[in-house]
Amino acid sequence: MTLPSMAVHPDIKAKLGDQVLADVARNLWPQDCQSCNKPLGTQPPSLCIDVDPSVTMATLHHTTCQTSSWNDLYFRASSNLSWRSRMIDWALGGTDDKPDIWPTFLVNPHLEAVRLRQDDAGAWQVATMDYGRELGLATAGPDFIIDRPVRAHDGHTPTARLRGSTVEVHLSPFEHWAGTFEKLYTTRVRERGGVMLAYTTAIHPQQLTSYQEFIQPVARREVAFGLIPLAR
C-alpha cells in the first residue's frame, strides 16, 4: 500500500514516524475489513493500531466501521484475516547451467494486519520477521542453512503433507496453509522430501509479477525461510 491510500490518524503518524509508517503501509494489503469482515473495496481504508502487552497490531477497516485511531485501552481482535499463497521455484546454489531449484511455498499469513514491536528505545517497527524467528524461521544470510528442517516449537513439529495436487504446510498449531499446484511443483516437493516455506507480509503472492519482486524483499530481509519436511 502507499500512504495516500489509507486514512491515518495524526496520533499514529506522530508515534510511528514517517519511515515506520511507510514500512507498515508496505506490509498491508486491503482485502477484508477487520471489523465487519466484508471486502474493503476500492475506497481507502482506515488504519488502526491496537497496543497490547502480548501483541500490537496494525489493521485495516472500512472508514465507516472504524475511524483511524491509536488504541492502547483495549484490544480489537482481528476477526477475519485473509492469507494468500503460491508456489515458486527458488534457485539456491548449483550452477548457471544446472541451478539447484527448491520448490518454495510463498505465503502472506495476514494481508490486512501486521505485527509491530517497540524496541528498548521506544521506537516502533514492523515485527513480522521477529515472529517468524520465534517460530524457527530465518532470513536469508550466513546463518541460514538450506536443508535444515524448522525446529519444533511449543511441542509442535512443523510438517508438510501432499494430498494429490494439494500441498499443506503446518508451521504451528495456529499457522497452517494449503494450496493446489501444478504437478511440476508437487513432484519437486516429493523428490525433496519437503517444501521451502517463505513467510512474509511484504509480498502479496498473487500480485507477484516477476522474480525480482521476490528477491528484493529477500535482500531486505523481509522474508523468513525454513524447510518444512513431509510428514512420515
Side-chain angles (χ1 to χ4, degrees):
M1 288 184 64
T2 56
L3 293 181
S5 66
M6 62 182 180
V8 182
H9 192 278
D11 285 350
I12 296 176
K13 293 181 179 180
K15 292 180 179 182
L16 293 186
D18 291 342
Q19 182 56 60
V20 176
L21 184 55
D23 291 341
V24 168
R26 198 159 39 81
N27 283 267
L28 287 171
W29 308 87
Q31 182 66 39
D32 294 330
C33 172
Q34 294 307 292
S35 294
C36 71
N37 298 344
K38 295 180 181 178
L40 283 166
T42 58
Q43 296 300 311
S46 65
L47 176 67
C48 294
I49 309 291
D50 292 299
V51 181
D52 183 85
S54 59
V55 61
T56 295
M57 299 290 286
T59 55
L60 297 178
H61 306 255
H62 289 121
T63 55
T64 52
C65 291
Q66 293 280 355
T67 57
S68 179
S69 63
W70 182 282
N71 166 47
D72 51 17
L73 298 178
Y74 59 91
F75 189 70
R76 291 172 290 205
S78 298
S79 55
N80 190 37
L81 288 172
S82 307
W83 59 270
R84 294 292 185 272
S85 69
R86 72 183 293 176
M87 194 77 80
I88 63 173
D89 286 331
W90 190 23
L92 289 167
T95 64
D96 291 340
D97 293 333
K98 192 176 181 180
D100 191 13
I101 301 295
W102 283 81
T104 301
F105 189 101
L106 173 64
V107 65
N108 185 319
H110 32 77
L111 299 176
E112 312 93 344
V114 65
R115 290 171 180 258
L116 302 178
R117 74 172 179 88
Q118 197 172 23
D119 63 22
D120 294 338
W124 291 95
Q125 59 187 277
V126 171
T128 305
M129 294 299 96
D130 296 83
Y131 184 63
R133 281 188 281 270
E134 287 178 18
L135 294 174
L137 305 176
T139 53
D143 58 342
F144 176 51
I145 300 174
I146 295 169
D147 55 357
R148 182 172 65 190
V150 177
R151 58 175 169 77
H153 180 77
D154 290 339
H156 175 85
T157 300
T159 56
R161 294 188 190 330
L162 268 177
R163 303 185 190 276
S165 58
T166 299
V167 178
E168 299 176 2
V169 175
H170 298 260
L171 179 60
S172 77
F174 309 104
E175 300 269 6
H176 46 86
W177 314 275
T180 301
F181 305 107
E182 298 174 12
K183 186 177 179 180
L184 169 68
Y185 293 117
T186 56
T187 298
R188 285 180 176 163
V189 170
R190 186 174 291 106
E191 290 173 348
R192 287 285 187 183
V195 63
M196 186 65 67
L197 174 66
Y199 181 97
T200 183
T201 52
I203 300 171
H204 189 309
Q206 295 181 354
Q207 294 181 14
L208 197 65
T209 60
S210 69
Y211 189 66
Q212 193 64 24
E213 290 178 3
F214 169 70
I215 290 300
Q216 287 174 347
V218 171
R220 292 194 299 263
R221 297 201 164 195
E222 294 176 336
V223 186
F225 297 96
L227 175 61
I228 312 296
L230 283 175
R232 301 190 178 205

